[in-house]
Structures are given as C-alpha cells and as structure tokens.
Amino acid sequence: MSSDCCEKTYPLYTQGNVVSCTSVEGASPKGSVWQLIVELPWGEEAHPKSLPLAGQFYMLQAARTNTLLGRPISVFHVNKEAARPQIEFLILIKGQGTVELCSLMAGDKVNLLGPCGNCFLSTKGKVCIIGGGIGVAPVAGFAETLPPQSYDFYASFKSGSYGLQNIKPAKLTITTDDGSVGVHGMLPAALTEQTMREGNYAAVYACGPTPMLAYVKKVAEACDLPCYLSLEAHMACGVGVCLGCTIQTSEGKKRCCTEGPVFYSRILDFENLDGTKTRESVAGIKVQPRREPLTTEPDLSVEIAGVHFKNPVIASSGCFGFGTEYESVFDVSRLGGISSKGLTLEPRQGNDGIRVYETPSGLMNSIGLQNPGIPHFIEHELPAMLKLGPVAIANLSGSSLETYTKGAELLDKTEVPMIELNISCPNVSAGGAAFGMTCQAAGEVVRAVRAVTKKPLAVKLTPQSLELNSVALECIKAGADAISLCNSFQGIAIDIERGVPVFDKLKAGLGGPAVRPIAVRLVYELVQAINTLPADQRVPVIALGGIATWQDAVEFIMAGADAIQVGTATFANPNAMIEIIDGLEAFMKRKGYNKLSDFRGIIQK
C-alpha cells in the first residue's frame, strides 16, 4: 500500500501469509466468528508508516478458492510490533467466501486488495463509539487509536460478546438480546437520547446492522451530534470501478467502497438507502410475511401427473445411471425419484474422443446417449430401479419419430411409473434436441408418443430453442403431463495447445452451477407462460440446471417449479441430493412452511 502527502492510502494487490486463524471466544453460536491474522510481505508496499487507517477494509480471498470475488473485511487490529506488519480481521461466517477464509491454516496464502475505503476521523473531546455484532471490529480498531478513557463504548450482540480485548474506554456497556452478557436487550435498552445527552459527547461513531445504525442516526441527530456510520454493501472490485456498491444519499449515489464505508449520518436516508422506496416489495413482488417456525415435520411430497413423490428431489438423467450404482454410496431410497440414463430403442456406444471437460463452475459433456437399449433396460435395469424405492422414471430418447414411438410402446407395457420424453439431448447427430427446437417438431413427436402410451409423460426441453415457451405450450397441447426444463446448454471448448476443439462433435452440453441463474429465469418464464392457460390445462414443471444446494432448490421452487432434478452436483458431492432434502426440510420448518405449495411460485406476479 502507499499514501500521498495527506496520508490518504491507496489500495495495492498483494499476497499475505496466514499467521493464524482461530475461532473467536465468546462469539455465539460457537464457531460463527473467526480471527484471521495475516502477515504482509515485507517491502515498500507494506511499510509500517502506510498501514491501513481505522475504518478501512481489505478485499480478502483465499489463494486457493472456489469463489470468483474477494470479500470486503474490515480491519480489526494492526500489529506494528511484529517483524513484518500483521493485520487482524474478525470474520463472520456467511457464505462460501467467508467459510474459505475461516478454514485457512497457518502458512496458507491469502490474496489482499487494500486498504480500501475512507476512515474514521477523530475529533476533540469525549466521543461515543457503538458496535453491533461483527460491526464491533472496525470501531474497536478505531477506539485503539484514541487516548484511553477518552470514549465510551457500547457493544450490542444477539448473544455472547467478543472483539473488545484491545479497547480502553471510560465506560463499556454490553447488551445482548438473550441476556447472556451485560444488559438484557438490544442497543436501545442501554443507549437512549437521554443517556447520549448525559454523556456530553463531541461525536458518535458506529458500525453494525442497518436497523441499529438507523437508530443511532436518529438518536445522535436528536442530540445535534456529529455522527459517522460505517456501512456495508455488496461489492465486486473494492476500488470504485464496478459501481455495484452504491448507496443512495442526499448528495446522490455514493460508492460504499471509496466514498465510504464511513458516511456522515445526515446525508443518509435509511428508508431509501439502497435506492428503493420500501423493502416491503422487490420488483413489484411483496416480501413474504414472517411465519412462526413449525413444531411438526413439514410435508415435502409432491404429485406430478398423478404420481406421488415423497419429496421433490429427483436424480437427473445421465448423472445417476439407473440408481443402483450409488446404492453403496448413500441411502438412495431417500430420493423422491430417479430418471434413468437416456434410453434409445437400440443399444448405443456413444461418442468418440473426450467426453467430459471441466470448466469453472461447470462440466461439459459429450457422452452421446451411450445406453444398453430399451429391451435390455426393461429386462435388466428396470427391475432393480423399481426395487430402490424412489419413483422410477424412464428417460426416452430417439433418432427418429419411429424409434421414439417404438420405444414408448415397449415402456408402456412395463411397470415404470413415468416416462420422461427427452427431446433435448445436445450431443447426438440425429434426434434429441432437434425435435425440441420448433413447435412443429416437438408437437409431432409428443403426439406420436402420447398415442402409444398411457403412462404419465414429462417432456424434457432444450434451452437452445428460440421459441422455448411456445414449444412447451405446444407439447402440453399435444399431451405432455409435465415439462422438464432445462437440459444442458451448448458450448464449445478449445484445446489451445493443439489448436483444435476439445470435443469430436465440436459442441457439447454445459451443466453445473454456472448455468443456474439462466435456468432459474427460463423456469420462471415458462411457469408464467403456463399460467396463461386455463387452470385445467396447466401442468407441473420439473426444474433442472445447476442445482447443487438446498438453497438452489428453494430458488427454483419459488420461481414456480413443482420438483427439481440434480445432475452435475452428484459428481462433485455424492451426498448433494441428501443434503438438499435435509436442507429443504430444515428451511421449511424454520420459515413455517407446512408444504411446498406454501412457497412455490411466490415470485410469480
């Protein structure tokens, strides 16, 4: 880092060594907050005279990471006495990025961009410093720079307390929502307009949850005190380029990463801080009212075309074989359903050359529907599938109208509960996705299959179609009982050393987390289209596309899906579907949802 003659610091990008990473004592629940100490490399860019100022932050990212972006973490403490500068951070575990940072060990590398943002500017006289939760970190760092006994410190937590070991206030007041430490209650239980007036403060400094900061602003301004608040916002760059962290102020939009994170309170309007008039709705969709948590077990079951699934989690075709392959890995019987490997009338050997290729947050494949053929499936694999417990679904593909119908005729004579008509496979030369590209072709094959089977029929569509929703509605008109969306997205990978495509067929299917936001949009739009039909003509939607966690599954269900399929995630984590089932159940209990329909399609206008 470097600074100009005004002592303003400028961020630099460097890599530090982890000195230690330990769970913070006093934080509740245990293991929710960690202290990360990072040693900066010695050199001009890390000169002790240009270390971060109180209130600044760094964009931190583990050197070995699965995240795209660094995470903005405030500086808690700077050890200037060490042989090399050491910076301490308090990190609250929130998501993947913070989990990775809190999993670091001594000697690991961490990428740092910083110091970023402005800082707390001290003032003459006694001041009031307020920290809430993890927001204690930057204000505690600021308190260290002030003379001992020159400030009162208020720390507010839900439970427990931490981050106060380096401060030397005239008075320390701790409040906890559960009464575990100090005053029972949140900040207003200890700090009021009256107590602030009695403190004879020259200024107020605070960092913490938005509701707390709104309260501090109100009380401080009622006492006509200068008030400086440290805010947080989602950000990508940390240096003012991406404009993703802007907040609304009376002086226009300001970047939290550069013009902040410390703002003068009088330019802030907490009712319009993020640029919206109210948080009661987003994009015209009302925020869900709070429900009481369930005291009983939620019902995860779902009915699709008259078929009962005990939960909405289905193993996706092509990623789970016939189910028996994973019997020794986890309890397969817990799944709601299993969609078989893509089946064709005749046995197939599939494509030549490279078949799978990993990409960031995704997996490309060009298998080419290798399978034993429907007659072999009926005699050998299907009996074993039916004994597993989950609903067995036969995924039917073909290269021509005739092979589709002949395959359907054979399956119709079996005990398989449901057929998934695959007109979406991107990795075959004939048939597959070609049938799902237009309304005419899709309608023709669905009508032909519908004519030869009475089995419930779900039609699996390709996202490549330029008239996707129209194709889906035509399939429903032709006899589809459900729609599965969406199969993998076509992509190209190139071997840059040899200057040739990775895959023999040039294009291949891309699945995995990278496609999920697009798949959510497609499912949302499809459900909207289906909802334009008369109620008795609407059919369920089975969603797939990058689902790896229970949170992903909830997104699709909130977008309108009746059930979900999991594919690529099983390769990365064989327990993914079990974790999704357990996570769904816990989510529904916590949110007070008795059944899936309580939150299905809640973002549909």
Side-chain angles (χ1 to χ4, degrees):
M1 66 192 75
S2 59
S3 63
D4 62 17
C5 59
C6 299
E7 295 303 316
K8 178 180 178 180
T9 57
Y10 293 92
L12 291 176
Y13 186 67
T14 189
Q15 192 172 77
N17 296 312
V18 174
V19 176
S20 65
C21 187
T22 55
S23 179
V24 172
E25 291 293 328
S28 181
K30 187 176 181 180
S32 60
V33 179
W34 291 68
Q35 182 181 40
L36 174 66
I37 302 178
V38 178
E39 181 181 77
L40 296 178
W42 186 254
E44 183 62 32
E45 75 280 5
H47 194 279
K49 292 183 179 180
S50 58
L51 288 171
L53 304 174
Q56 291 189 300
F57 66 93
Y58 281 81
M59 300 295 290
L60 295 184
Q61 185 180 46
R64 298 179 64 179
T65 180
N66 291 314
T67 65
L68 175 65
L69 305 174
R71 299 298 190 263
I73 308 294
S74 297
V75 174
F76 170 58
H77 175 71
V78 178
N79 183 357
K80 301 177 182 179
E81 306 302 322
R84 294 184 178 182
Q86 293 181 357
I87 302 178
E88 299 181 18
F89 304 91
L90 296 186
I91 303 176
L92 173 67
I93 292 181
K94 291 184 177 180
Q96 180 63 31
T98 50
V99 166
E100 289 182 357
L101 290 171
C102 296
S103 301
L104 294 170
M105 302 179 67
D108 286 345
K109 300 292 184 180
V110 60
N111 298 324
L112 304 94
L113 176 64
C116 300
N118 61 8
C119 61
F120 290 111
L121 296 177
S122 59
T123 187
K124 292 182 179 179
K126 185 180 181 182
V127 298
C128 178
I129 300 177
I130 306 162
I134 197 66
V136 160
V139 290
F142 172 56
E144 280 192 83
T145 68
L146 303 178
Q149 314 298 314
S150 67
Y151 56 90
D152 289 343
F153 200 105
Y154 289 82
S156 183
F157 303 92
K158 287 185 178 180
S159 180
S161 68
Y162 57 87
L164 307 175
Q165 64 268 30
N166 300 321
I167 64 174
K168 297 178 180 179
K171 181 179 72 172
L172 171 62
T173 303
I174 300 174
T175 74
T176 51
D177 194 26
D178 64 357
S180 56
V181 180
V183 178
H184 190 174
M186 298 308 288
L187 184 65
L191 182 63
T192 64
E193 183 179 334
Q194 179 180 347
T195 56
M196 189 166 283
R197 290 185 187 279
E198 293 172 351
N200 294 317
Y201 302 123
V204 178
Y205 302 86
C207 182
T210 299
M212 187 200 84
L213 296 182
Y215 174 76
V216 172
K217 167 185 165 69
K218 177 183 176 181
V219 174
E221 291 177 4
C223 298
D224 199 28
L225 289 174
C227 179
Y228 302 93
L229 306 176
S230 179
L231 306 182
E232 66 174 358
H234 294 290
M235 58 183 68
C237 68
V239 296
V241 174
C242 73
L243 303 178
C245 64
T246 59
I247 62 170
Q248 189 67 42
T249 75
S250 61
E251 299 175 355
K253 285 185 169 64
K254 289 187 177 289
R255 297 165 295 179
C256 198
C257 65
T258 50
E259 284 118 341
V262 180
F263 292 94
Y264 184 50
S265 69
R266 293 187 184 274
I267 70 171
L268 301 176
D269 177 5
F270 280 95
E271 291 186 0
N272 196 31
L273 195 63
D274 58 0
T276 59
K277 294 294 183 184
T278 175
R279 296 309 295 171
E280 292 180 359
S281 66
V282 180
I285 299 166
K286 290 185 177 181
V287 173
Q288 289 294 293
R290 184 174 181 180
R291 300 178 180 222
E292 290 298 318
L294 298 183
T295 56
T296 58
E297 296 302 312
D299 180 7
L300 271 67
S301 67
V302 61
E303 296 283 330
I304 299 176
V307 179
H308 178 81
F309 292 76
K310 60 188 171 186
N311 63 63
V313 180
I314 302 169
S316 182
S317 173
C319 298
F320 207 67
F322 300 102
T324 54
E325 295 88 339
Y326 276 97
E327 267 192 295
S328 64
V329 181
F330 67 88
D331 185 2
V332 173
S333 69
R334 292 194 58 197
L335 302 180
I338 299 172
S339 185
S340 74
K341 182 71 183 76
L343 300 164
T344 54
L345 185 62
E346 73 290 349
R348 286 195 181 186
Q349 291 300 306
N351 294 333
D352 295 327
I354 291 175
R355 289 187 169 195
V356 292
Y357 183 79
E358 187 176 2
T359 67
S361 296
L363 182 70
M364 300 182 73
N365 84 87
S366 182
I367 307 301
L369 287 176
Q370 178 176 338
N371 74 97
I374 291 174
H376 189 282
F377 166 76
I378 291 173
E379 183 177 354
H380 299 282
E381 287 81 15
L382 178 57
M385 277 190 76
L386 294 172
K387 292 178 181 178
L388 292 175
V391 174
I393 303 171
N395 183 276
L396 169 63
S397 192
S399 56
S400 66
L401 199 62
E402 181 181 12
T403 56
Y404 270 115
T405 54
K406 286 187 176 180
E409 286 177 337
L410 293 176
L411 292 171
D412 186 64
K413 299 174 183 177
T414 71
E415 296 180 12
V416 71
M418 179 179 285
I419 295 174
E420 184 175 53
L421 181 60
N422 185 348
I423 54 173
S424 56
C425 180
N427 301 317
V428 291
S429 300
F435 281 104
M437 296 297 286
T438 66
C439 292
Q440 180 179 351
E444 185 178 13
V445 69
V446 173
R447 286 187 183 89
V449 171
R450 178 78 288 168
V452 299
T453 180
K454 294 181 180 179
K455 299 281 187 186
L457 186 63
V459 180
K460 189 172 185 178
L461 297 180
T462 172
Q464 265 62 248
S465 174
L466 298 179
E467 45 184 322
L468 177 56
N469 290 340
S470 296
V471 168
L473 295 181
E474 183 63 27
C475 290
I476 295 170
K477 182 179 178 181
D481 298 304
I483 299 294
S484 295
L485 184 74
C486 52
N487 207 329
S488 54
F489 294 71
Q490 278 196 332
I492 294 175
I494 299 173
D495 181 338
I496 62 172
E497 295 299 329
R498 296 191 299 150
V500 296
V502 168
F503 297 102
D504 282 11
K505 290 187 175 295
L506 180 62
K507 298 177 183 179
L510 171 65
V515 308
R516 180 177 51 80
I518 303 173
V520 171
R521 175 183 64 82
L522 294 177
V523 167
Y524 168 79
E525 292 174 347
L526 173 59
V527 173
Q528 276 195 319
I530 291 175
N531 285 343
T532 65
L533 299 174
D536 62 348
Q537 295 179 25
R538 298 173 190 172
V539 303
V541 173
I542 303 171
L544 60 155
I547 299 171
T549 67
W550 66 263
Q551 292 94 331
D552 301 338
V554 170
E555 275 198 75
F556 277 99
I557 295 170
M558 286 186 170
D562 289 78
I564 58 100
Q565 291 188 6
V566 178
T568 304
T570 300
F571 299 148
N573 173 18
N575 288 321
M577 286 187 284
I578 300 301
E579 292 173 4
I580 290 172
I581 294 168
D582 291 341
L584 265 176
E585 183 176 13
F587 170 78
M588 292 173 68
K589 290 182 72 172
R590 174 170 59 85
K591 299 291 286 187
Y593 294 130
N594 288 288
K595 50 190 182 301
L596 295 172
S597 59
D598 287 344
F599 63 98
R600 180 183 295 121
I602 61 175
I603 72 161
Q604 291 289 334
K605 295 183 181 179

